[in-house]
Amino acid sequence: MSTEAVLKYYKQTFGGDPEQLAFAPGRIEFIGNHTDYNAGLVMGVAVAEGITVAVGRRKDRFMHFVSDGGEAVALPLDSLSPVSGLASWTNYPAGVTKVLLEAGMEMPVGYNMSITSTLPAGAGMSSSAAFELATAYALSAIYGYETDKAGFARIGKKAENEFVGMPCGILDQGVSAFGQADHIVRIDCSSDLFSLSAMPAGAHFWIFNSNKKHSLVDSAYADRHRECHEALAILQKAYPEVKNLSEVSEAQLRSQESELGDLLFRRALHIVGENDRVRAVESALLANNLDAVGKALSASHESSRVNFENSTKELDFLAVQLQQQAHVYGARLTGGGFGGAVMALTDDKFGAEHAAVIEAAYQAEFGIEASIFHTRAGDGAQTL
Ligand code: GLA
C-alpha cells in the first residue's frame, strides 16, 4: 500500500487533502482455473500488493482521475459510458460509479481521485479487480452507501462485466474483498459462498511473470467462456438436470465425448478436472500434505496446456523448470492465462538464488527477462 504517494498526487493535482483513502489487493489464483463463471469451486489468495486510491468530492458533476502522477482525465458524471484508447483505464472507476448509482447511491456532485499501484503490471494478478474494489470502498464511504464484502465483490464484477465488457466470474473481486493475511479464500461460485482457510506454515508463494502476453488476451478469454457454454448446452441434451459444467461428472462427460467433439470435450474436461483438483487441494491442506497440494497445482497447469489451451510456451517453460526444483511443491499458470505469470508454492528454503537459476534459464531460452517476486497472503479491501 502506498498512502504517501497517493496523498502526494492528490495534493499536487487537485490541491487540498482527500476525504477518504481505500486500498484493495491483487490476487493469486491458487487453484480452480476458469471454474468461477462455470459455477464451480476456486481458491485464491489476496497478495500484500494492490491499489490505493484517495478521493474527495468536487463542486461540479465531473470525475477527475490521476494515476501515479500522470496526466489527469476528466469525465462527466451525467453521461457515463466506456472510453477507449489511452484513458481506458478510467473505465474501472467509472464502471464502479455507474453500478453504485444504479444500486441507489446518491451522488449530488462528482469527485477527484488519485491512484497508485504496487502491483506488477501485466502479471495477471488482477489489478483491475483491485482498482474496482478500492474505488467501491472509497466512494461508498464519502457518498454514504452500505453493503457487505460480498456486495462489494458483486459491484466490482458487475462493473467489469457490463461496463468494461469482460465476462469474468467472481474470483478476482471476491478474493480482493475477502482476503485475509496468511489465509486462502475459497469460493463456491454456485452460491457465491466465501470461506477462509489458514495458509500452511512454511509455505510461500513465488510469482514468475513471463512478461509475454497474447495480443488478444481478452478475446481469447471470451472464446473460452463461450466454448464452456456451448459444451454445457450439448451436455444438457443428455442431462437436462445439469445447470452448469461444474455439476457434470466425468462419467457423464465421457458418455458425450463424440457429441461434443474433441475441442469442446477438452474444454469441459478442464473444468470438471479443476473442480476435482480444488477438492483434492482442500483435503490435502486439511491433512497438511503439501506434496499432494503441489501435485494438484502442477496437474492443473498440465490441463491448461493440453485441454483448455490457455497456456503459452513461456508459461509452460517456467512451470516445468519450477516443478523440477527441490523446494517447489507445485507450479501452475495463475489467472486467465494466454500469458501473464506462473505461481509456485514453495517451502521456506526456496530463495532468491533458486529463483535466479530459473530466471537465467528463461532468459537463455526466450531472450526475455522474467520478473520475479515473493509475496504472502495479505488482507482484503478496506478503507484507510
Ligand atoms: C481471470 C478472470 C477470473 C477467472 C480467471 C480464470 O482472472 O477475471 O474471473 O475466470 O481469469 O480462472
Side-chain angles (χ1 to χ4, degrees):
M1 158 174 356
S2 182
T3 51
E4 238 170 69
V6 87
L7 283 170
K8 184 181 88 189
Y9 295 136
Y10 191 95
K11 256 194 187 137
Q12 257 173 23
T13 316
F14 309 117
D17 290 317
E19 292 176 78
Q20 184 68 54
L21 266 64
F23 166 81
R27 62 97 191 92
I28 298 171
E29 177 191 276
F30 189 48
I31 187 137
N33 189 244
H34 287 254
T35 49
D36 60 355
Y37 59 81
N38 286 298
L41 302 172
V42 59
M43 291 172 118
V45 176
V47 292
E49 295 76 15
I51 288 195
T52 308
V53 303
V55 295
R57 276 167 286 187
R58 296 177 58 83
K59 296 204 164 58
D60 59 16
R61 291 189 55 80
F62 275 82
M63 306 174 295
H64 284 223
F65 301 105
V66 64
S67 173
D68 282 320
E71 190 107 353
V73 178
L75 295 170
L77 190 56
D78 293 318
S79 56
L80 280 165
S81 51
V83 297
S84 52
L86 274 182
S88 60
W89 58 271
T90 59
N91 288 336
Y92 300 105
V96 167
T97 304
K98 183 153 194 232
V99 174
L100 283 168
L101 284 167
E102 284 163 5
M105 187 173 91
E106 284 179 34
M107 297 180 73
V109 291
Y111 60 87
N112 294 321
M113 175 186 279
S114 70
I115 303 119
T116 58
S117 174
T118 50
L119 278 170
M125 294 173 74
S126 209
S127 54
S128 56
F131 199 1
E132 288 153 3
L133 270 285
T135 301
Y137 270 78
L139 295 184
S140 299
I142 61 171
Y143 292 105
Y145 177 80
E146 281 179 24
T147 183
D148 56 8
K149 286 182 188 181
F152 280 117
R154 282 191 211 104
I155 287 166
K157 176 178 181 282
K158 194 162 185 230
E160 184 95 32
N161 292 161
E162 294 175 9
F163 200 85
V164 178
M166 262 284 285
C168 67
I170 195 81
L171 166 69
D172 307 344
Q173 293 82 7
V175 172
S176 186
F178 281 85
Q180 192 175 304
D182 301 319
H183 282 75
I184 299 172
V185 181
R186 175 197 192 268
I187 314 174
D188 179 344
C189 304
S190 68
S191 50
D192 278 5
L193 216 73
F194 299 86
S195 51
L196 291 166
S197 52
M199 269 290 290
H204 290 249
F205 293 114
W206 285 78
I207 306 292
F208 290 73
N209 183 359
S210 67
N211 285 322
K212 191 79 198 283
K213 239 187 198 174
H214 275 200
S215 52
L216 298 169
V217 179
D218 290 357
S219 69
Y221 184 91
D223 286 346
R224 292 299 177 275
H225 184 272
R226 181 178 41 75
E227 288 160 0
C228 286
H229 288 92
E230 282 170 14
L232 174 63
I234 293 171
L235 287 157
Q236 281 173 328
K237 288 187 192 146
Y239 303 103
E241 71 282 8
V242 153
K243 289 188 293 301
N244 54 64
L245 271 192
S246 300
E247 285 180 2
V248 175
S249 69
E250 195 172 328
Q252 287 175 325
L253 178 60
R254 293 208 181 273
S255 78
Q256 300 304 304
E257 190 167 350
S258 58
E259 281 72 12
L260 286 161
D262 174 58
L263 186 129
L264 293 184
F265 173 74
R266 283 184 291 121
R267 301 299 189 250
L269 185 61
H270 181 66
I271 303 304
V272 172
E274 282 295 285
N275 280 302
D276 287 342
R277 283 184 282 274
V278 174
R279 283 185 277 265
V281 163
E282 268 183 279
S283 329
L285 283 172
L286 281 175
N288 208 21
N289 182 349
L290 289 177
D291 290 322
V293 172
K295 243 183 156 173
L297 298 180
S298 301
S300 166
H301 185 87
E302 184 60 7
S303 177
S304 272
R305 185 179 77 80
V306 175
N307 295 324
F308 216 60
E309 296 179 282
N310 61 332
S311 188
T312 59
K313 58 183 191 311
E314 291 83 7
L315 293 175
D316 292 343
F317 183 87
L318 286 170
V320 168
Q321 293 284 317
L322 281 158
Q323 287 160 8
Q324 288 166 353
Q325 279 273 333
H327 301 297
V328 173
Y329 294 114
R332 61 178 292 270
L333 68 82
T334 179
F338 310 107
V342 167
M343 169 217 78
L345 183 72
T346 76
D347 66 21
D348 49 14
K349 295 195 192 70
F350 187 91
E353 67 278 21
H354 303 104
V357 173
I358 311 255
E359 188 178 22
Y362 183 72
Q363 166 98 40
E365 182 78 12
F366 298 106
I368 311 171
E369 226 171 276
S371 354
I372 300 171
F373 78 104
H374 180 190
T375 188
R376 62 175 187 84
D379 282 325
Q382 56 198 276
T383 49
L384 303 173

